[in-house]
Amino acid sequence: MNFVNRHFPDQDETDCVSPGPAVPRQHNWPLRYDSIEYVALCADVATILFASLVSRLLHQIQNAQAAGDLSNALCLALVSSACLVCLLKTHGLYRPVELLVLRNQIRALCLAWTSLLLLIWAVYGFAIGPGSSQEAGSLFAVIGLGLLVAERWGVRTLLGRGLSGRKFASTNIALISDQPLSENAGLSETLAMHGYCVKGRFSLPPIGFGPASRRRLASRVIDYIRSSQLDQVVVEANPERWPELRALVADLRVLPFPIMFVPVGTTSELLRHPTRSLGSAVCVELQRGPLTPIECATKRTIDLVGAGLALTIFAPLLALATAAIKLDSSGPVFFRQQRCGFNGRTFLIRKFRTMHVLEDGPVILQANRADRRVTRVGKWLRRTSFDELPQLLNVLDGSMSLVGPRPHALAHDGEFDKLVRNYALRRRVRPGLTGWAQVHGCRGPTPTAVMVETRVQYDLWYIDNWSPRLDLAILLRTPVEVLRGRNAY
């Protein structure tokens, strides 16, 4: 789009850049970018209704039944779609930026859909409605999830195509900016990609302009907009001049259009963070926790169920290991040592005693391949990692998790913190019985800084990419790694 500059001789005056002949965009869709959220929402509702009808009809065809009343299926589908839409809407998953991330969309859909199916099962015994069968409910579950995933893939594809090809219907705007035209190119490109067409550009005078200049600018903007076909007003400026901008926006309230603010400059970085309500105050979330409350609850549930089942299954072997340790050498069955855990808090880790010594202090020598401190039974326990199983008790009491960064002794933890940058970041989650580093062969002693750094990289990747599926994958790979016996001695 070409622009023609109109210059005003007085420095207090503002510059209005009016467009020249507009270059028409070919084959625009009859859809604006800011309507995508509602289109995706309606698509979910339609998809669930369609899945309900298809599942009921397929069930009737399979069982050679005559076409019956579909009202129950439609009613339950409407309730299900309303619940799903409210849940996804609450988490902001209908925003165009989120719709482009297919992996997160599929994960959220699976979790929300599973929750809805559990509710249906509790109310109707997993039937689509009163008088329906379990088979129809199963069809609805499978077909509904499949169609929702396919719909999300289609939405992501169309949204990406619309952005890259600038297909969205035009939203005509007036841009008020304190940035030079050369620095404004990035915003103009972004606006054009999302279907916003800048019909007029007004330049703000330097910081500190007086009320007279502000009123002249507001008057010029109002006169221009009233003679043009516009939909919005966008103000691009440094947030540091907010008192002046607030007065300008107050002068523009006579316009029946929304006024959007695009912050620039260093202060604008603060506004990129999500906001939260703290009573009557608004606070900015500068750093979010590694896991949301729902994710923490999910992980804790996995820990409790998994640790309980593991203790039940391995109870006979744990009893045999206890007896073997007692018969092999004198000393306690369990070895307890101070370790550094979540948020840097110390806790007592539990292990089967595999050595003649019980070291816990400022200096601890890591075990090596031919370590004479290891007992005969301890050699086999360490080789199979069976000596770690008492840590399931740590999982139950909440000091550890089934999966997470492995905790180190306090003496080693202080050394590693000085050697490796970002080492302390691994303490943002509970330490684990096994971890992403361990299934990649990072076990045993860490004599060099490079080996410690490699483990830290694996641990931080795990924290940043956590999901229940990742935890399950690590738990399934752990027995395979134990059988391989890499660096276990």
Side-chain angles (χ1 to χ4, degrees), residues 178-289:
D178 65 352
Q179 303 296 304
L181 281 175
S182 58
E183 298 181 10
N184 187 255
L187 178 62
S188 299
E189 181 69 19
T190 301
L191 291 172
M193 180 184 299
H194 293 79
Y196 293 90
C197 181
V198 181
K199 291 296 185 179
R201 182 185 186 278
F202 296 82
S203 297
L204 287 169
I207 296 178
F209 66 94
S213 298
R214 186 195 72 238
R215 285 192 291 268
R216 284 195 294 269
L217 170 60
S219 177
R220 189 168 293 112
V221 171
I222 292 171
D223 291 341
Y224 176 80
I225 291 178
R226 284 176 173 173
S227 62
S228 306
Q229 296 294 327
L230 296 179
D231 303 297
Q232 290 183 17
V233 177
V234 177
V235 180
E236 179 197 28
N238 194 315
E240 294 179 357
R241 60 190 307 179
W242 177 245
E244 302 170 0
L245 297 174
R246 181 172 53 192
L248 175 62
V249 172
D251 293 336
L252 298 178
R253 284 183 179 176
V254 296
L255 296 172
F257 301 116
I259 300 177
M260 314 300 291
F261 177 57
V262 179
V264 296
T266 55
T267 310
S268 65
E269 297 179 3
L270 187 65
L271 301 179
R272 298 180 184 274
H273 295 275
T275 58
R276 298 287 185 269
S277 296
L278 190 61
S280 60
V282 177
C283 62
V284 178
E285 187 181 65
L286 300 180
Q287 174 180 300
R288 70 176 293 269

Side-chain angles (χ1 to χ4, degrees), residues 290-291 341-343 404-405 425-431 462-463:
L291 302 180
F342 175 69
N343 198 25
L425 297 181
R426 64 198 300 275
R427 304 186 189 121
R428 296 194 298 160
V429 298
R430 288 187 179 90
Y462 165 79
I463 295 173

